[in-house]
Amino acid sequence: MPKTSSDRLAPGTHTTLQGPAMGTRWSAGVYADDTLDLTALRQDLAAAVQQVDEQMSPWKPDSDLIRLNRAPVGAWVDLPAEMLEVLACALDIHRLSAGAFDPGVGALVDAWGFGAMRDAPDAAAIHAARQAAPFTTHESLELELPAGRARKRAPLQLDLCGIAKGYAVDRMAAVLHQHGARHALAALDGELRAVGSQASGAPWAVALERPEPGHRAVHGVIELQDLAVATSGDYRRYLEVGNARLSHTMDARRAAPVNNSVASVTVLARTCMRADAWATALLVAGPAEGLAMAQRMGLEALFLMRRAEGLVEMGLGRFASPGES
């Protein structure tokens, strides 16, 4: 496509491309020059995020996820390669986290009022969801990656909200690479991935949000270079029932919303898909089990925990306090 005059930028010019997607907005900060066709790049970024949404949304009645959820037990369902890649990663982290990350929580999400079915908890639906899950998710779902298909071995309702946004950011990073962008930062909601550094060579500075319901405040700054970051918390999306605040993140092991002292968990990883899923897993696992799990898996993670004296940090890797291993 020929470039218009507005597409041409001086070398090293920083520009931001953005658009709506997945109930929020995607954005890409790019250091561009006149070798980049920004119009085509914007279109391809939007298309990449839209593709993930069309395949994996639990809200779109014609998504591939809904098609798989509605399929009879035992029936093979042809699926796109992108969704199979996400399902394979989700099942892997489900096993490694001992069920703390569970893509099979779709019925619980709906029953507790966070899905497309209802906007408040339903006691009968919660009871039914608890009774309908005698098998673990990795026992209930079979993937055949070379054949491009999957089937359920037992009744199962999948929900990929704990991993799909991270994967969408990875797809954005792939598009940026394909277009020759060497200095860019892709973002979707609280998930981000750096492509290289800033044009100056400095890492990208990313704000870590303070976990306060109803407020936007910065807790700290993270530096990224060829690295992804994702944060999961209990403060952004929740329901208030009486005096209780119910997190939208489900603990499948309890068949209930997360209820522990962890306000948020931030994870660094090479891919945003894995950072997203592990942040969810550690949030569900809680302070003691989550920290032990992160250490066992060699993760770089920051836990912000609510204590009587306020927020307390506990971190691993580059998040560790000076003197900690």
Side-chain angles (χ1 to χ4, degrees):
M1 177 185 296
K3 298 177 184 175
T4 66
S5 59
S6 62
D7 288 326
R8 294 184 178 277
L9 294 174
T13 299
H14 181 270
T15 187
T16 300
L17 310 176
Q18 59 184 320
M22 303 176 77
T24 181
R25 295 188 68 80
W26 64 265
S27 68
V30 185
Y31 282 98
D33 55 30
D34 62 3
T35 65
L36 276 179
D37 184 337
L38 293 179
T39 299
L41 177 57
R42 183 185 293 107
Q43 291 172 346
D44 289 350
L45 287 168
V49 178
Q50 182 179 1
Q51 182 187 57
V52 174
D53 195 25
E54 290 176 348
Q55 292 181 7
M56 306 178 207
S57 173
W59 301 86
K60 295 181 181 294
D62 56 349
S63 72
D64 293 289
L65 177 70
I66 297 298
R67 189 164 54 86
L68 177 59
N69 281 340
R70 290 176 175 168
V73 172
W76 286 106
V77 179
D78 293 331
L79 294 172
E82 296 84 3
M83 183 170 167
L84 285 166
E85 180 182 358
V86 172
L87 286 171
C89 181
L91 291 180
D92 182 45
I93 295 178
H94 174 59
R95 286 187 291 264
L96 292 172
S97 68
F101 178 78
D102 194 337
V105 295
L108 285 170
V109 170
D110 280 340
W112 282 94
F114 292 102
M117 297 294 293
R118 55 183 60 84
D119 57 7
D122 182 283
I126 292 168
H127 178 75
R130 286 172 169 167
Q131 297 302 311
F135 304 105
T136 63
T137 298
H138 73 265
E139 293 173 323
S140 302
L141 183 66
E142 180 180 0
L143 306 181
E144 280 196 356
L145 301 183
R149 63 183 190 171
R151 68 176 174 182
K152 295 179 293 185
R153 293 170 170 162
L156 180 66
Q157 184 176 335
L158 294 160
D159 185 301
L160 298 176
C161 290
I163 192 172
K165 285 183 178 178
Y167 181 72
V169 173
D170 290 334
R171 298 305 304 155
M172 291 172 63
V175 168
L176 288 161
H177 278 294
Q178 291 163 6
H179 279 260
R182 294 181 297 124
H183 307 286
L185 182 67
L188 180 64
D189 207 9
E191 283 66 60
L192 303 96
R193 180 169 168 176
V195 175
S197 62
Q198 298 187 61
S200 67
W204 293 92
V206 174
L208 173 63
E209 189 173 12
R210 190 169 182 82
E212 295 181 357
H215 296 86
R216 294 278 187 166
V218 175
H219 179 81
V221 176
I222 301 169
E223 293 185 337
L224 299 179
Q225 182 170 334
D226 287 319
L227 201 62
V229 63
T231 298
S232 291
D234 67 354
Y235 59 95
R236 183 74 65 79
R237 189 176 171 215
Y238 54 87
L239 287 175
E240 291 185 346
V241 180
N243 295 324
R245 191 177 76 226
L246 303 179
S247 168
H248 77 286
T249 302
M250 290 294 126
D251 183 348
R253 303 168 304 176
R254 295 173 45 251
V258 168
N259 183 20
N260 58 45
S261 62
V262 180
S264 70
V265 182
T266 298
V267 174
L268 299 176
R270 289 298 169 187
T271 69
C272 204
M273 172 171 63
R274 298 192 75 85
D276 194 9
W278 275 115
T280 302
L282 299 181
L283 176 70
V284 170
E289 181 189 355
L291 279 166
M293 185 184 298
Q295 190 165 35
R296 184 176 71 251
M297 297 304 304
L299 299 174
E300 295 191 278
L302 175 66
F303 291 72
L304 295 183
M305 290 172 289
R306 292 192 174 92
R307 298 284 190 260
E309 64 272 26
L311 287 175
V312 174
E313 291 188 5
M314 296 188 70
L316 296 171
R318 72 190 67 189
F319 293 117
S321 299
E324 291 182 358
S325 57

